[in-house]
Amino acid sequence: NPLLYNDVVHKLNYVIIYDIFTPPVASRVFAYSNLAAFEVLANEGKHFGSLEGRVNGLSNIPHPAANAKIDYPFASLIALIKVGNELTFSSDTMKVLADSVKMLAKDAGMPDDLFDGSVQYGVQVADSVLAWSKKDNYAQTRGSHFTVTGLDGHWSPTPPGYFEGVEPLWNSMRCMVMDSANMFPPPQLPPFSKDSTSDFYKITKDVMYTGINLDST
C-alpha cells in the first residue's frame, strides 16, 4: 500500500526532526532506509531490479529461499523501519512504529507463516544494508569541526544562531552513485573582494537582495 509506505516514511521524518539531525545526516538515514525497502521489493521480481552493482559497493543482498512465504510490501516496511531505527536515536518511537505495522498485518488476517517469513526476510535485508552502510566513512567523520579562521573571504558563524559549520568532511563520505565528490566539481567562484565593481561583490549582493525580498509566493 503506497499510502502506508508514505506514512511510515513521514513518521521516520518526525523521528529525524526530533533527534535534531542535520540535513546531510538526515539524507543518509533516508537513503539507507529506503534502499533496504527497495531491495526487498526488488527480490519480489515484479517491478524493480536490484541496485547491486549499480550503487557503489552494494552487494550480498540476501535472496529469499525458493519456498519462502513472503509478503514483500510488508517485508519492505520491516526493512525500512529496522534500518531507520538503527540510524536514529529514538528507539522507543521506532519500536512503536514497527509494532503498529506488524499489528496492521495481523489485523488484516495475515497467516502466521507469511508474517514470520516476511519479518525474517525484511530483517535479513536490513542487516545487509546496515553492514554496507558502516563502510561509508560516516563513523570516521564524527567529531569533526569546521575551522573558523576569521580571515576575509573565509566562512564564519552568523547571527542569530551562530551555528557551527555543518559536516565539514561530508565530501569524504562514500558516494552512492558517483565515483567521488570530485567527479563533478562546481565552477570556480570569483576571488573574494570587497570592491563594489568586482564579480564577487555583485553576485554576493544579488544573493543578499534575493533573500531580503523573499515572500510566501
Side-chain angles (χ1 to χ4, degrees):
N1 186 324
L3 292 177
L4 178 57
Y5 189 99
N6 187 60
D7 185 52
V8 170
V9 172
H10 273 294
K11 286 183 168 60
L12 175 59
N13 184 46
Y14 298 146
V15 169
I16 288 171
I17 293 171
Y18 181 82
D19 288 346
I20 320 179
F21 286 123
T22 62
V25 176
S27 72
R28 180 176 182 266
V29 177
F30 282 127
Y32 288 131
S33 300
N34 284 281
L35 178 63
F38 181 91
E39 288 299 320
V40 169
L41 294 171
N43 275 283
E44 186 179 18
K46 289 185 176 180
H47 308 290
F48 307 107
S50 173
L51 295 177
E52 287 188 81
R54 290 189 282 173
V55 172
N56 289 341
L58 182 65
S59 61
N60 300 319
I61 298 296
H63 298 289
N67 60 346
K69 294 185 177 181
I70 299 169
D71 181 293
Y72 287 89
F74 173 52
S76 74
L77 294 177
I78 295 298
L80 188 156
I81 293 168
K82 179 172 174 55
V83 174
N85 181 42
E86 293 290 335
L87 299 182
T88 56
F89 300 140
S90 301
S91 57
D92 289 345
T93 302
M94 294 302 295
K95 184 180 184 305
V96 169
L97 178 57
D99 289 344
S100 67
V101 169
K102 291 177 181 178
M103 186 60 67
L104 284 173
K106 289 288 189 181
D107 290 346
M110 183 177 290
D112 289 344
D113 57 347
L114 185 59
F115 179 92
D116 294 340
S118 302
V119 171
Q120 181 181 23
Y121 185 60
V123 168
Q124 288 175 346
V125 173
D127 287 342
S128 177
V129 170
L130 285 167
W132 174 65
S133 76
K134 293 178 181 177
K135 302 173 185 177
D136 67 1
N137 208 41
Y138 178 76
Q140 291 77 6
T141 61
R142 297 309 86 202
S144 58
H145 298 279
F146 192 92
T147 301
V148 178
T149 66
L151 299 175
D152 282 349
H154 290 208
W155 181 88
S156 60
T158 56
Y162 292 96
F163 299 116
E164 288 191 31
V166 174
E167 297 294 340
L169 297 182
W170 199 257
N171 66 336
S172 68
M173 296 276 289
R174 176 188 60 200
C175 296
M176 297 192 77
V177 179
M178 299 190 305
D179 292 337
S180 72
N182 296 321
M183 192 172 177
F184 298 104
Q188 186 67 38
L189 288 173
F192 175 82
S193 175
K194 295 181 179 179
D195 183 347
S196 62
T197 64
S198 69
D199 288 340
F200 183 89
Y201 191 97
K202 291 175 182 176
I203 64 174
T204 305
K205 186 177 179 180
D206 284 344
V207 171
M208 181 185 74
Y209 278 103
T210 298
I212 290 174
N213 293 301
L214 290 176
D215 57 37
S216 59
T217 59

